[in-house]
Amino acid sequence: DNYSPTLFTDNEVETSFRSEVGDCVDYYFMYGKNADGVIAQVRSLTGQAPMFPLWTYGYWQSKERYKSQEEVVDVVRKYRELGIPLDGIIQDWQYWGHNYLWNAMDFQNPTFNNPQKMIEDVHAMNAHMAISIWSSFGPMTKPYRELDKKGMLFNFTTWPQSGLESWPPNMEYPSGVRVYDAYNPEARDIYWKYLNDGIFKLGMDAWWMDSTEPDHLDWKPEDMDTKTYLGSFRKVRNAYPLMTVGGVYDHQRAVTSDKRVFILTRSGFLGQQRYGANVWSGDVASTWESFRNQIPAGLNFSLCGMPHWNSDIGGFFAGHYNESWNDDSASKNPLYQELYVRWLQFGTFNPMMRSHGTDVYREIYKFGKKGEPVYDAIEKMIGLRYSLLPYIYSTSWEVSNRQSSFMRALMMDFVDDRKVWDINDEYMFGKSILVAPIAHAQYTPEAVVKVSEEEGWNRDGVKKAKTDVAVDFMETKSTKIYLPAGTLWYDFWTNEKHEGGKEITKETTLDVIPLYVKAGSIIPVGPQVQYATEKPWDHLELKVYAGANGNFILYEDEFDNYNYEKGAYTEIPISWNNASRKLTIGARKGTYEGMLKNRKFTVTLQDGTQKSVDYSGKAVSVKF
């Protein structure tokens, strides 16, 4: 328990931690019998994960950046016209104007001249909005002036370095942007005052907190001696994201309990899960190697006790697939199309499904039109995500209430199978679905391009990865998958049954990600919708995979407030007895305002056999 930069050594000689500074370091040993038990103890020590609204588990569209409020609203409108589900739209930086007004928490860019109307227009189409906010301020902003007078700004160099938007930064015109002292409770109060008055009161739904490390450029040794409210920057540096994210969470909770806090943030620290934080992996490159690295990154992050994680679907820096800067060519380039589809399939089984990046348009209609393989593959996965919302939302309750995890390394559930201990390209999503992303190119050559942040922002010297290749995305390919021992597995797409403990070959097409369901699983499937709460869950399909006993708890509440903390929610226990081939839907536990009192379930076995049952809250059984 120590917040300063620390060197961890683990070799045949020693396992040690060497810290630059610290009055004291506490060490905790947590024995939990299994990985879930350890994670439960981590959260008992550092904080539990609150519930997110249902809508945040839908599909998010984003890019760097929408340049006017009309463009923001038009993206949502096009999704609605196309009938493609969408719940979240994100506005990236520079809605405040130029760099001297950096993070003003005010809409001074003339292309965002009526932000209230923008948010209302998005809400009128039953979508929600998040907006980019930073941990630093430009010298012409109101927060800067107030914080500066009180000595609550740091002096080290941060992003952006120049007041001009050109690249590389023109240091003839330094931006003067400075990071605020998030360790200081008064500084956090000031931060929220401007955020609340300038943006939250307009109806903003969620926050995208960028640069929460914070960005520290042109590093100098004396920077670490910078004074913070809690001592030197050297002493507390690693906890900065915990403090700045926590400041927004605590203040919004104090203002209202009607809207759950959702914060997308670039950096995390142990305990940040208690602040409604979903951490993403940053500005990663649009390459297959980078994509492959996201899978173990997400699993390792989840094993630290922080359950909400995601990456930029398609990678952030994709300009090397373009013919020229910021045009439509990459979304028509088969090399990028294949990478994007496979990354999107992986993102479908992340806690947050969010498409984002620079250089390349990410909206589905930029990839073609209905009836074309790339468009259809994207549409299929967004639709699948929405059909699984009852499963995902019930899993989120397991995460909040029973210390579970969304993304589960295979060793968490199959520890007796030594072969899974080091598998880093497959995982469980919830307790039932094994996900095996296709993370190697099958239809196109893998373009090996090394992209750093400096190179990524260089619009003129982009290394090109465009290759003229003839591609037939309708062609069938194959991939190998290892299925853990100790259970039967069913192919999610075909219901074909497989014994665990062996490697199999799966035939795939561009629109298929290998998915396998563990025997004994019960998966609730929701209706086709355009947004998460469009239709009530009054007729759910329960997919039952026989071969073992199984249990599932269907969780529901008001979907976006904190009344669940006062007991306003319901649980419906569902169990499958494999020997008697009987599904029992147990008595409903709990109540909340507006809950469904009567509903229908259609129970479907993996062999296609179906039976329907009416349910009014009392236990009922279905025999097969």
Side-chain angles (χ1 to χ4, degrees), residues 271-290:
Q272 206 157 311
Q273 71 279 355
R274 68 180 182 261
Y275 291 137
N278 187 319
V279 178
W280 100 95
S281 58
D283 296 347
V284 297
S286 302
T287 67
W288 286 93
E289 179 185 17
S290 179

Side-chain angles (χ1 to χ4, degrees), residues 348-405:
T348 304
F349 296 93
N350 287 182
M352 182 183 191
M353 186 183 185
R354 177 187 58 93
S355 172
H356 177 73
T358 191
D359 314 326
V360 175
Y361 293 92
R362 308 300 173 104
E363 296 78 21
I364 185 174
Y365 44 84
K366 297 293 185 179
F367 288 89
K369 58 181 184 293
K370 195 171 183 65
E372 296 176 352
V374 175
Y375 181 102
D376 289 352
I378 296 170
E379 180 182 28
K380 179 177 179 177
M381 296 317 295
I382 296 174
L384 176 61
R385 175 76 174 195
Y386 277 83
S387 71
L388 290 174
L389 282 181
Y391 174 80
I392 293 170
Y393 197 63
S394 295
T395 299
S396 76
W397 176 240
E398 289 288 315
V399 168
S400 291
N401 190 49
R402 297 180 178 88
Q403 295 78 49
S404 190
S405 300

Side-chain angles (χ1 to χ4, degrees), residues 525 538-544 583-585 599-605 608-616 620-624:
V525 178
D538 56 358
H539 188 178
L540 296 182
E541 180 183 12
L542 299 177
K543 287 191 171 184
V544 178
L583 183 84
T584 299
I585 304 171
R599 69 205 310 164
K600 185 184 288 289
F601 289 107
T602 296
V603 184
T604 306
L605 294 192
T609 307
Q610 281 190 335
K611 290 189 177 182
S612 291
V613 59
D614 293 319
Y615 180 78
S616 59
V620 61
S621 295
V622 185
K623 187 83 161 46
F624 287 87

